[in-house]
Amino acid sequence: MKTLFLQAPSFDGFDGGAGSRYQARREIRSFWYPTWLAQPAALVPGSRLLDAPADGLDVEQTLAIAQDYELVIIHTSTPSFPSDARFAELLKERRPDASVGMVGAKVAVDAEGSLRASSAIDFVAREEFDYTCRDIAQGMPFERVDGISYRDAGGVRHNPPRAIIENMDELPFVAPVYQRDLDIHNYFIGYLNYPYVSLYTGRGCRSRCTFCLWPQTVGGHRYRVRSPGNVLDEVRWIKQHMPEVKEVMFDDDTFTDFRPRAEEIARGLGKLGVTWSCNAKANVPYSTLKIMKENGLRLLLVGYESGDDQILLNIKKGLRTDIARRFAADCKSLGITVHGTFILGLPGETRETIAKSIAFAKEINPHTIQVSLAAPYPGTRLYEQAVENEWIPPNKTINLVNESGVQLAAISYPHLSREEIYHGLETFYRSFYFRPSKICEIVGEMLGSWDMTRRRLREGVEFFHFLRSHGASHS
């Protein structure tokens, strides 16, 4: 079937493509690659991947493209689902014979509810959906496709689950799909060199963090990996066919989980002369960090989450602040840049722990930070806890973002209100960035290159705008 893989139009600047960790409009306009759609697109010859938000396409423009396809597969998320379902309805009005399916964690955990929400959705894919999409595109009848729930005359039917992918080397490269269908200049992240490319070298995460969406819904807790040779072959392909790429980001939940493998890939990247970055847990030993740094590693994206040990225990982070401190010191001594991420409003949060996290962030001083609000996504342990303890209003739709896609505080506690958590975010940012030492650091970085000056000025304007609008609004 003529197949379109679609990231549908949504809020202006909404980065639903980063379905893995953050489904909201960011403080600074940023776009991750829609890798979760690129992977099945690579399995379906002649298909097209369309990322409407990154391309700046509105609903009308996207419909004009989508109506030419027999099969349209939309990546959705909890915040974007209502608008994605509406898009499916508009598409069916234009082309009633088109088959419309949805993929993503939202439909994986609530297949029945998603199908009942709109008659325009013909099927949803649960579990890993790469081969599911391929089977449907090849015309296999719905009743024979593992891992889908679909609508038939008798209501909603749920097929047996799709087996988890064990041999990750079987999956084709996503970079050729990026090159064919996307404009890589539309993708930028404040802390990565521009233009960049992001890829997965494996799926699943051995950590058990209660808030993290994909391991608990789609990827699982076993880290299934591509062989180092396979990863290096794709990087070699990028180097040859996309020479403008300045940095490769490995977006695995925790790339450093298998240290000997991370070291082997690093050595290969060093030989290729590639600048690269990855997600890491703040427990990587100095010896591994040193090998990575010597072989082209520039930046680590690290989820610190909180500066309070009890909160880290509550969320099963598998980390203590003393280990994180040593890790931060090691990165500093090796010259590895760190982008640190923190979350406000996790179980155990108080006014004191918020202050503690801010002090901790200033002490370990990552180069840049992102502060999120605890989001109880359905399918996560955090969501179950929020329901059990009535941290979210019972039997109500929880709004994780407002009408313009900005993240809201969804959780409140008897001792700490939604408003306090929400406004804690701007306090955190101001305390961290508006220090003379941090301002000097960023100005110093800008003096190094005109490109960086332009970029940081643009981001600065967006960031001030974000703080102003955030301070003026309420959750």
Side-chain angles (χ1 to χ4, degrees):
M1 294 165 85
K2 192 177 177 191
T3 305
L4 179 69
F5 291 92
L6 176 67
Q7 194 77 40
S10 188
F11 313 105
D12 179 42
F14 179 82
D15 188 16
S20 161
R21 270 168 291 280
Y22 198 74
Q23 298 167 342
R25 186 175 169 182
R26 291 162 189 266
E27 297 82 350
I28 291 169
R29 193 176 168 84
S30 317
F31 280 106
W32 283 103
Y33 284 82
T35 317
W36 291 99
L37 282 176
Q39 191 65 79
L43 285 162
V44 179
S47 64
R48 178 177 174 185
L49 169 60
L50 179 64
D51 189 356
D55 287 347
L57 300 176
D58 62 21
V59 170
E60 195 49 48
Q61 292 166 310
T62 310
L63 283 169
I65 296 167
Q67 68 188 20
D68 288 341
Y69 290 83
E70 299 164 90
L71 172 63
V72 177
I73 294 174
I74 300 172
H75 183 280
T76 193
S77 65
T78 298
S80 69
F81 180 77
S83 65
D84 294 337
R86 178 74 189 123
F87 183 88
E89 288 158 7
L90 294 169
L91 178 57
K92 284 282 198 179
E93 284 172 20
R94 297 247 181 138
R95 182 160 184 178
D97 67 323
S99 193
V100 177
M102 285 193 174
V103 297
K106 153 71 183 166
V107 294
V109 300
D110 184 20
E112 179 111 10
S114 303
L115 284 164
R116 293 199 183 282
S118 173
S119 59
I121 306 165
D122 296 305
F123 69 91
V124 300
R126 312 183 313 267
E127 298 99 31
E128 285 178 302
F129 45 79
D130 314 85
Y131 291 113
T132 304
C133 294
R134 182 202 61 185
D135 290 350
I136 291 171
Q138 284 175 349
M140 192 183 280
F142 282 176
E143 61 269 19
R144 286 181 36 214
V145 179
D146 281 352
I148 65 164
S149 299
Y150 65 98
R151 179 179 284 101
D152 72 359
V156 171
R157 298 187 55 159
H158 304 285
N159 286 0
R162 167 80 45 179
I164 203 157
I165 300 169
E166 296 295 348
N167 181 359
M168 298 298 291
D169 283 5
E170 279 176 3
L171 291 169
F173 296 163
V174 294
V177 176
Y178 294 167
Q179 190 203 36
R180 183 191 74 196
D181 292 343
L182 305 177
D183 177 354
I184 73 162
H185 297 95
N186 287 343
Y187 298 89
F188 42 86
I189 298 286
Y191 45 83
L192 295 179
N193 289 340
Y194 176 82
Y196 80 99
V197 161
S198 68
L199 324 160
Y200 286 86
T201 76
R203 287 188 189 161
C205 182
R206 299 198 298 173
S207 297
R208 300 264 164 185
C209 306
T210 58
F211 59 85
C212 196
L213 182 64
W214 284 79
Q216 296 182 76
T217 54
V218 176
H221 288 292
R222 270 193 309 119
Y223 186 31
R224 296 157 290 125
V225 296
R226 295 162 59 183
S227 65
N230 178 271
V231 174
L232 293 167
D233 283 347
E234 183 160 16
V235 175
R236 210 172 277 116
W237 190 95
I238 291 165
K239 213 175 144 107
Q240 196 178 339
H241 296 92
M242 304 167 81
E244 67 275 37
V245 168
K246 298 265 196 337
E247 180 159 16
V248 178
M249 168 74 188
F250 298 120
D251 203 24
D252 307 31
D253 289 305
T254 317
F255 177 79
T256 51
D257 256 357
F258 295 148
R259 290 203 300 274
R261 173 181 177 270
E263 291 170 10
E264 189 181 338
I265 292 172
R267 289 189 176 103
L269 294 167
K271 290 193 183 84
L272 290 173
V274 172
T275 298
W276 59 283
S277 297
C278 68
N279 290 309
K281 201 164 173 172
N283 61 358
V284 185
Y286 183 88
S287 56
T288 300
L289 291 172
K290 187 169 187 289
I291 290 166
M292 287 161 51
K293 173 64 183 172
E294 286 168 354
N295 287 284
L297 172 74
R298 188 187 67 81
L299 172 139
L300 293 176
L301 195 158
V302 180
Y304 291 107
E305 322 315 353
S306 173
D308 182 78
D309 281 311
Q310 186 56 51
I311 290 179
L312 295 177
L313 207 57
N314 295 347
I315 60 172
K316 296 186 163 49
K317 181 70 190 173
L319 186 70
R320 296 195 316 260
T321 53
D322 60 334
I323 294 167
R325 278 188 180 89
R326 189 190 67 215
F327 166 87
D330 288 345
C331 288
K332 189 154 279 167
S333 71
L334 286 164
I336 297 169
T337 302
V338 173
H339 174 73
T341 64
F342 296 85
I343 302 176
L344 293 184
L346 292 165
E349 194 80 275
T350 62
R351 292 178 196 90
E352 292 71 34
T353 59
I354 290 175
K356 209 168 170 183
S357 288
I358 294 171
F360 176 70
K362 283 153 70 169
E363 180 196 339
I364 59 171
N365 197 32
H367 183 53
T368 49
I369 61 167
Q370 176 190 311
V371 187
S372 307
L373 300 165
Y377 285 106
T380 63
R381 177 65 192 131
L382 178 62
Y383 177 79
E384 289 170 9
Q385 289 175 309
V387 171
E388 286 161 15
N389 296 292
E390 297 194 359
W391 297 336
I392 54 179
N395 308 320
K396 270 200 191 160
T397 308
I398 50 164
N399 291 320
L400 298 174
V401 296
N402 68 12
E403 59 287 345
S404 56
V406 173
Q407 202 187 12
L408 296 175
I411 290 180
S412 66
Y413 302 103
H415 58 276
L416 193 65
S417 71
R418 223 175 244 100
E419 279 69 29
E420 286 177 287
I421 294 169
Y422 181 78
H423 290 297
L425 183 136
E426 86 222 36
T427 307
F428 201 130
Y429 274 129
R430 287 178 190 279
S431 305
F432 184 83
Y433 279 117
F434 298 173
R435 297 173 287 155
S437 59
K438 183 53 76 178
I439 291 165
C440 286
E441 202 181 308
I442 289 166
V443 168
E445 185 186 32
M446 286 163 66
L447 292 174
S449 92
W450 176 235
D451 259 2
M452 187 55 82
T453 303
R454 273 201 310 243
R455 189 168 156 182
R456 289 289 183 242
L457 287 173
R458 173 183 65 80
E459 289 169 354
V461 169
E462 290 171 8
F463 185 60
F464 276 106
H465 180 71
F466 163 78
L467 285 179
R468 195 167 64 243
S469 62
H470 194 279
S473 61
H474 288 280
S475 54

